[in-house]
Amino acid sequence: DEKIDAAMAIIADALNILIQSTRRKDENYICLLAMLLFDLAQVHSHKKEFKQAERDILKSLKLLEKLSKLKPQRYSSAQVLALNASTSIYRSRVDQANLLAHYQVATSIHLAEVNSGIKDATNRLIASLQNEGNTLSQMNRYREAIHFYTRALKYLTRIENEFSLQQLQLSISLGEAFAKYRKSLKISQQRLHEMTGISIFTISQFENGKGHGLSLSHFLLLMDAVGLEITLSDLIPVVSEIDPEKMWMSQNKKGGRK
């Protein structure tokens, strides 16, 4: 408690010095203010002063969004860090919905970064998609969560050929969201087996996060059985990036056609 009080005093002193500055539209000023508000939110959260923590983290997020739009390569990581921290601070459904809006802004920024070929942008996009999925799951919006986990896995498998810890975590989250959504539809594993022909063991493995060996065809069958419109292009980035004309020309060259 003494350390927390000391941290609070240091942050308060820093904020008092900062507010005396006249350069409030300066990038460095905004950045420093965002970081101090982030630290302040952490302190309030530790003291279980959640309402104040929510106000501080919200102000920090708004400032970091502004900076990320200005210089995404420099500030996107800080924005993701603040978003991650906010998931443990927000308590109500309304606050979670507001948080979701911030994730959506972050995802659009990171997607634009990926399309522009910015280094490490894919990792930030994956984190944002995963966090959107987590927030939606906390709100019992499992159908939407499944889509975000699937998109996150799509980009993660693009940059990681070997099965990683992050892929395992995403697989577990995806399986849990699918199981809860299936139950909300009152569809048993037995019924799902009858609808798809997929064994109950395989379905159970998938729902317990052990579905990384699940074939694409089985995955799509499971999604279709519960009414989720997920296509092959949602799973494999390369599919949507193929230029049909270039593919045709390449095949013709290999075949020696004139």
Side-chain angles (χ1 to χ4, degrees):
D1 289 340
E2 289 182 3
K3 289 182 178 179
I4 292 297
D5 290 337
M8 179 76 82
I10 292 170
I11 295 169
D13 288 342
L15 284 170
N16 285 330
I17 294 171
L18 191 63
I19 61 175
Q20 295 175 27
S21 172
T22 57
R23 303 174 64 182
R24 298 191 177 186
K25 293 184 179 180
D26 184 79
E27 178 187 332
N28 291 330
Y29 176 94
I30 296 171
C31 177
L32 185 55
L33 179 58
M35 293 299 99
L36 286 171
L37 287 168
F38 172 84
D39 290 340
L40 193 59
Q42 296 295 304
V43 171
H44 281 301
S45 179
H46 187 84
K47 297 178 73 173
K48 300 190 185 305
E49 298 169 353
F50 295 113
K51 285 296 180 184
Q52 187 58 51
E54 288 171 5
R55 285 193 285 269
D56 293 334
I57 200 69
L58 178 60
K59 291 175 184 176
S60 179
L61 281 169
K62 287 182 177 178
L63 292 172
L64 287 169
E65 278 180 13
K66 182 177 181 180
L67 291 170
S68 290
K69 289 177 181 177
L70 181 68
K71 292 183 178 179
Q73 200 164 0
R74 182 176 182 183
Y75 295 108
S76 290
S77 296
Q79 184 187 16
V80 170
L81 180 65
L83 284 167
N84 289 343
S86 61
T87 57
S88 62
I89 293 174
Y90 285 140
R91 289 292 188 268
S92 72
R93 287 292 180 87
V94 173
D95 292 328
Q96 288 173 344
N98 290 334
L99 175 61
L100 192 61
H102 288 289
Y103 276 129
Q104 289 167 346
V105 171
T107 296
S108 64
I109 291 172
H110 302 324
L111 187 57
E113 288 181 308
V114 170
N115 292 335
S116 299
I118 294 175
K119 186 181 179 182
D120 296 329
T122 303
N123 288 321
R124 292 192 288 271
L125 176 61
I126 292 165
S128 186
L129 290 168
Q130 185 174 5
N131 287 327
E132 280 190 80
N134 292 341
T135 303
L136 287 162
S137 287
Q138 290 172 7
M139 299 171 71
N140 299 330
R141 291 165 60 177
Y142 304 116
R143 180 188 180 95
E144 296 164 89
I146 290 168
H147 279 282
F148 282 97
Y149 289 138
T150 302
R151 288 178 64 196
L153 276 168
K154 159 186 169 176
Y155 285 102
L156 186 57
T157 53
R158 181 182 184 179
I159 61 173
E160 293 183 356
N161 294 323
E162 299 294 326
F163 191 74
S164 64
L165 177 60
Q166 190 175 9
Q167 286 188 41
L168 175 61
Q169 291 169 339
L170 273 169
S171 296
I172 291 171
S173 297
L174 174 60
E176 288 177 348
F178 179 84
K180 289 174 180 176
Y181 183 60
R182 171 182 61 75
K183 291 172 183 176
S184 73
L185 297 176
K186 302 189 184 306
I187 299 175
S188 66
Q189 288 185 345
Q190 175 63 36
R191 177 59 182 147
L192 200 57
H193 159 65
E194 293 168 358
M195 294 167 70
T196 63
I198 300 170
S199 71
I200 293 175
F201 174 79
T202 300
I203 294 169
S204 179
Q205 287 285 94
F206 169 61
E207 292 185 345
N208 287 310
K210 300 174 183 176
H212 53 272
L214 191 72
S215 68
L216 287 176
S217 59
H218 279 181
F219 181 81
L220 292 172
L221 278 172
L222 289 174
M223 296 300 112
D224 185 61
V226 295
L228 288 168
E229 296 180 0
I230 293 179
T231 65
L232 194 61
S233 61
D234 293 321
L235 303 172
I236 308 175
V238 177
V239 171
S240 59
E241 293 168 2
I242 293 173
D243 185 325
E245 186 177 351
K246 287 182 179 178
M247 178 188 282
W248 181 85
M249 291 176 67
S250 175
Q251 289 173 339
N252 282 349
K253 285 180 181 178
K254 289 178 182 179
R257 295 181 185 175
K258 304 291 184 182

